[in-house]
CSV table of all heavy atoms in Angstrom, one decimal:
chain,number,residue,atom,x,y,z
A,286,GLY,N,112.6,-1.4,73.4
A,286,GLY,CA,113.7,-1.2,74.4
A,286,GLY,C,114.2,0.2,74.4
A,286,GLY,O,115.2,0.5,74.9
A,287,TYR,N,113.3,1.2,73.9
A,287,TYR,CA,113.7,2.6,74.1
A,287,TYR,C,113.2,3.3,75.3
A,287,TYR,O,113.7,4.5,75.6
A,287,TYR,CB,113.3,3.4,72.8
A,287,TYR,CG,113.9,2.8,71.6
A,287,TYR,CD1,113.2,2.4,70.5
A,287,TYR,CD2,115.3,2.4,71.6
A,287,TYR,CE1,113.8,1.8,69.4
A,287,TYR,CE2,115.9,1.7,70.6
A,287,TYR,CZ,115.1,1.4,69.5
A,287,TYR,OH,115.7,0.9,68.3
A,288,VAL,N,112.3,2.7,76.0
A,288,VAL,CA,111.9,3.1,77.5
A,288,VAL,C,112.2,1.9,78.3
A,288,VAL,O,112.0,0.7,77.9
A,288,VAL,CB,110.6,3.7,77.5
A,288,VAL,CG1,110.6,5.0,76.7
A,288,VAL,CG2,109.5,2.7,77.1
A,289,ASP,N,112.4,2.1,79.5
A,289,ASP,CA,112.7,1.1,80.6
A,289,ASP,C,111.4,0.6,81.2
A,289,ASP,O,111.4,-0.6,81.6
A,289,ASP,CB,113.7,1.5,81.6
A,289,ASP,CG,115.0,1.9,80.9
A,289,ASP,OD1,115.7,1.1,80.4
A,289,ASP,OD2,115.3,3.1,80.9
A,290,ARG,N,110.4,1.5,81.4
A,290,ARG,CA,109.4,1.2,82.2
A,290,ARG,C,108.1,2.0,81.8
A,290,ARG,O,108.3,3.2,81.5
A,290,ARG,CB,109.7,1.5,83.7
A,290,ARG,CG,109.2,0.3,84.6
A,290,ARG,CD,109.8,0.6,86.0
A,290,ARG,NE,108.9,0.4,87.0
A,290,ARG,CZ,108.4,-0.7,87.4
A,290,ARG,NH1,108.4,-1.8,86.7
A,290,ARG,NH2,107.4,-0.7,88.4
A,291,VAL,N,107.0,1.5,81.9
A,291,VAL,CA,105.9,2.2,81.6
A,291,VAL,C,105.0,2.6,82.9
A,291,VAL,O,104.8,1.5,83.7
A,291,VAL,CB,105.0,1.5,80.5
A,291,VAL,CG1,103.6,2.2,80.4
A,291,VAL,CG2,105.5,1.4,79.3
A,292,VAL,N,104.6,3.8,83.2
A,292,VAL,CA,103.9,4.1,84.2
A,292,VAL,C,102.4,4.2,83.8
A,292,VAL,O,102.0,4.8,82.9
A,292,VAL,CB,104.2,5.6,84.9
A,292,VAL,CG1,103.5,5.9,86.0
A,292,VAL,CG2,105.7,5.6,85.1
A,293,GLN,N,101.6,3.2,84.5
A,293,GLN,CA,100.3,3.1,84.0
A,293,GLN,C,99.4,4.4,84.4
A,293,GLN,O,99.5,4.7,85.6
A,293,GLN,CB,99.6,1.8,84.7
A,293,GLN,CG,98.3,1.4,84.1
A,293,GLN,CD,98.3,1.2,82.6
A,293,GLN,OE1,99.3,0.6,82.0
A,293,GLN,NE2,97.3,1.8,81.9
A,294,GLU,N,98.6,4.9,83.5
A,294,GLU,CA,97.8,6.1,83.8
A,294,GLU,C,96.3,5.6,83.9
A,294,GLU,O,96.0,4.5,83.6
A,294,GLU,CB,97.8,7.0,82.6
A,294,GLU,CG,99.1,7.8,82.5
A,294,GLU,CD,99.0,8.7,81.3
A,294,GLU,OE1,98.1,9.6,81.2
A,294,GLU,OE2,100.0,8.6,80.4
A,295,PRO,N,95.5,6.4,84.6
A,295,PRO,CA,94.1,6.2,84.7
A,295,PRO,C,93.4,6.0,83.3
A,295,PRO,O,94.0,6.5,82.3
A,295,PRO,CB,93.5,7.3,85.3
A,295,PRO,CG,94.7,8.2,85.9
A,295,PRO,CD,95.8,7.6,85.3
A,296,PRO,N,92.3,5.4,83.2
A,296,PRO,CA,91.7,5.3,81.9
A,296,PRO,C,91.5,6.7,81.2
A,296,PRO,O,91.2,7.6,81.8
A,296,PRO,CB,90.3,4.7,82.2
A,296,PRO,CG,90.5,4.0,83.5
A,296,PRO,CD,91.6,4.7,84.2
A,297,LEU,N,91.8,6.6,79.8
A,297,LEU,CA,91.8,7.8,79.0
A,297,LEU,C,92.9,8.9,79.4
A,297,LEU,O,92.7,9.9,79.0
A,297,LEU,CB,90.4,8.4,78.9
A,297,LEU,CG,89.3,7.5,78.4
A,297,LEU,CD1,88.0,8.3,78.2
A,297,LEU,CD2,89.7,6.7,77.1
A,298,GLY,N,93.9,8.6,80.1
A,298,GLY,CA,94.9,9.4,80.4
A,298,GLY,C,94.8,10.2,81.6
A,298,GLY,O,93.6,10.5,82.1
A,299,ALA,N,95.9,10.5,82.2
A,299,ALA,CA,95.9,11.3,83.5
A,299,ALA,C,95.5,12.8,83.3
A,299,ALA,O,96.0,13.3,82.3
A,299,ALA,CB,97.4,11.2,84.1
A,300,ARG,N,94.6,13.2,84.2
A,300,ARG,CA,94.3,14.7,84.2
A,300,ARG,C,94.5,15.1,85.6
A,300,ARG,O,94.8,14.3,86.6
A,300,ARG,CB,92.8,14.8,83.7
A,300,ARG,CG,92.6,14.9,82.2
A,300,ARG,CD,91.4,14.3,81.9
A,300,ARG,NE,91.4,12.9,81.8
A,300,ARG,CZ,90.3,12.1,81.9
A,300,ARG,NH1,89.1,12.6,81.8
A,300,ARG,NH2,90.4,10.8,81.8
A,301,PRO,N,94.6,16.4,85.9
A,301,PRO,CA,95.1,16.9,87.2
A,301,PRO,C,94.3,16.4,88.5
A,301,PRO,O,94.8,16.5,89.5
A,301,PRO,CB,94.8,18.5,87.0
A,301,PRO,CG,94.9,18.7,85.6
A,301,PRO,CD,94.3,17.5,84.9
Side-chain angles (χ1 to χ4, degrees):
Chain A
Y287 301 130
V288 296
D289 299 291
R290 224 166 131 68
V291 172
V292 182
Q293 191 57 45
E294 290 181 53
L297 302 189
R300 276 149 284 163

